[in-house]
């Protein structure tokens, strides 16, 4: 069956019809590598990982090219390096390594291509030269700027009129601009900042030209799907479209534009000033990566999501139920979820995936093919079991062992000794001593459970991590 996706450009769902039959190209804007990625950054990474998995499942792994870039030249990177007194390369290298580690814990597959901006400077310069030659860009005061009024239908993606954008406070106004909406393609570098030689002097690229150059090199002038967060629609994606279409003379940069909704934390916008700025790395210290991923997928990707502790607890319970853990702590963690990437059988003609009807079991695939309806897909999981459940869990990226990261930080031998000491105290009817040990364990995050063994009649104490 056909995959239908919501296109931000047309504001409607449309069938995915690959430019090259049976093959799909997907480009997603990746991180700017100067700090830990926060949970808001994780949303597009997870959303488009699910799309990547679905595309591979339908078209076959060799017929999908997923490109997710890394922005490794940026003012924020320069500022972080200066603040820490280290090189820019040190900042980007460690941040990229941490980013890869964190998203791998979320079950995210590596893209087919992960281009870095600094490896594509020549392609950016060539595109800028083309834009100047075609009358869509100009040099001014050491900068090269895109001439926005030269593109009559600029603003279609964000649905903004040019006059509105001129009046908008978000638009940077500089004396060297012909028009207040013009944006930077190339700019001079200051002392200590990264710089590359160009026809306009040593400098560095603007942010928007980076993705235009990288997507062109790895997917072509026009490709199937471009994705990212809602915050990127304007100005980033709008400017990408302007640069790419004007440079290549085509009607579209990408046929489908997909954008995930915003994320807030406990009902408030995430910000460092509110103290609710949460990184993926911090969350992984307390929650399994599959729980974070499951919690993200409970909300449709285009809707806003409220990230709450209650939601994480509900997601954890749902995962445990699917994994066969009837009681919280019955087996503790360590249950084996299915391995693999969930691609299963695939069909190069785009007709694969296994959906043939409308029952709950098969509705899983229909839900995913209907604009990645992951909440509905998740709800169908409780109606299947065995290999079919394993395949579907894997297709959603919910694979591997469900382990509690907090338990790894505990001294299990110490816990066992305390439980033994409590048992001895209770046997001696020293209830106060037993209660004290229980309270000590509780302070460590350990919850005890006493049950009577049916055969021996003895009290058996087990423990789990409490929330």
């Amino acid at each position: 069956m056909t995959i239908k996706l919501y296109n931000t450009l047309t504001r409607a769902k449309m069938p995915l019809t690959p430019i090259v039959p049976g093959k799909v190209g997907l480009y997603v804007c990746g991180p700017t590598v100067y700090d830990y990625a926060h949970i808001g950054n994780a949303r597009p990474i997870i959303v488009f990982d699910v799309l990547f998995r679905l595309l591979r499942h339908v078209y076959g792994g060799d017929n999908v090219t997923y490109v997710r870039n890394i922005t490794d030249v940026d003012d924020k990177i320069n500022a972080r390096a200066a603040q820490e007194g280290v090189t820019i390369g040190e900042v980007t290298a460690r941040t990229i390594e941490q980013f890869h580690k964190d998203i791998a814990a979320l079950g995210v597959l590596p893209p087919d291509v992960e281009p870095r901006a600094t490896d594509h400077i020549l392609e950016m310069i060539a595109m800028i030269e083309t834009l100047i030659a075609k009358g869509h860009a100009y040099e001014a005061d050491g900068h090269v700027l895109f001439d926005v009024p030269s593109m009559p239908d600029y603003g279609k993606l964000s649905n903004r009129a040019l006059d509105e954008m001129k009046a908008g406070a978000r638009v940077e106004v500089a004396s060297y601009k012909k028009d207040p909406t013009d944006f930077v393609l190339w700019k001079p570098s200051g002392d200590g900042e990264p710089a590359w030689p160009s026809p306009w002097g040593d400098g560095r690229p603007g942010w928007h030209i980076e993705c235009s150059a990288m997507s062109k090199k790895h997917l072509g002038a026009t490709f199937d799907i471009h994705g990212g967060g809602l915050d990127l629609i304007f100005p980033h994606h709008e400017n990408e479209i302007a640069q790419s279409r004007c440079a290549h003379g085509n009607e579209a940069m990408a046929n489908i534009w997909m954008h995930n909704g915003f994320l807030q934390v406990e009902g408030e916008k995430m910000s460092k000033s509110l103290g609710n700025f949460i990184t993926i790395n911090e969350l992984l210290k307390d929650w399994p990566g599959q729980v974070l991923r499951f919690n993200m997928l409970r909300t449709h990707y285009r809707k806003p999501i409220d990230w709450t502790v209650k939601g994480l607890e509900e997601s954890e319970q749902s995962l445990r139920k699917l994994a066969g853990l009837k009681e919280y702590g019955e087996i503790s963690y360590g249950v084996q979820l299915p391995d693999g990437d969930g691609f299963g059988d695939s069909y190069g003609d785009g007709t694969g995936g296994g959906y043939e009807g409308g029952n709950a079991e098969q509705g899983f695939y229909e839900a995913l093919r209907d604009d990645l309806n992951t909440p509905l897909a998740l709800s169908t999981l409780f109606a299947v079991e065995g290999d079919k459940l394993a395949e579907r869990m894997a297709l959603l990226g919910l694979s591997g062992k469900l382990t509690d990261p907090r338990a790894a930080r505990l001294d299990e031998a110490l816990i066992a000794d305390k439980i033994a000491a409590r048992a001895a105290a209770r046997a001696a009817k020293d209830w106060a001593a037993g209660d004290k040990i229980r309270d000590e364990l509780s302070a460590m995050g350990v919850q005890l459970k006493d049950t009577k063994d049916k055969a021996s009649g003895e009290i058996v104490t087990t423990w789990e991590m409490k929330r």
Side-chain angles (χ1 to χ4, degrees), residues 372-385:
L372 290 187
N373 191 339
T374 55
L376 180 57
L378 288 173
S379 71
T380 69
L381 295 178
F382 296 92
V384 295
E385 56 186 16

Side-chain angles (χ1 to χ4, degrees), residues 258-329:
M258 296 178 65
H259 296 91
N260 62 271
F262 292 114
L263 179 145
Q264 60 182 13
V265 175
E266 301 288 353
E268 294 185 301
K269 182 178 179 181
M270 185 169 58
S271 77
K272 291 181 178 178
S273 62
L274 292 175
N276 64 353
F277 188 88
I278 310 172
T279 67
I280 303 170
N281 189 260
E282 290 171 325
L283 285 167
L284 287 170
K285 293 176 182 177
D286 294 318
W287 300 91
Q290 296 100 320
V291 171
L292 303 183
R293 186 181 179 101
F294 190 99
N295 196 53
M296 195 74 78
L297 298 180
R298 289 173 64 195
T299 302
H300 191 276
Y301 80 91
R302 286 194 285 117
K303 293 184 178 181
I305 183 172
D306 189 14
W307 192 264
T308 66
V309 171
K310 180 181 178 183
L312 287 168
E313 291 171 344
E314 292 170 352
S315 295
E316 183 178 51
Q317 292 288 0
S318 294
L319 263 179
R320 294 176 68 80
K321 182 178 179 181
L322 288 167
L325 302 183
K326 305 301 182 184
E327 245 181 82
Y328 190 95

Side-chain angles (χ1 to χ4, degrees), residues 131 146 183 185 208-209 212 239-247:
L131 288 168
F146 184 86
F183 58 87
L185 302 174
H208 314 303
I209 196 69
S212 286
N239 292 349
E240 279 188 56
I241 291 173
Q243 297 160 161
S244 295
R245 286 186 53 202
C246 289

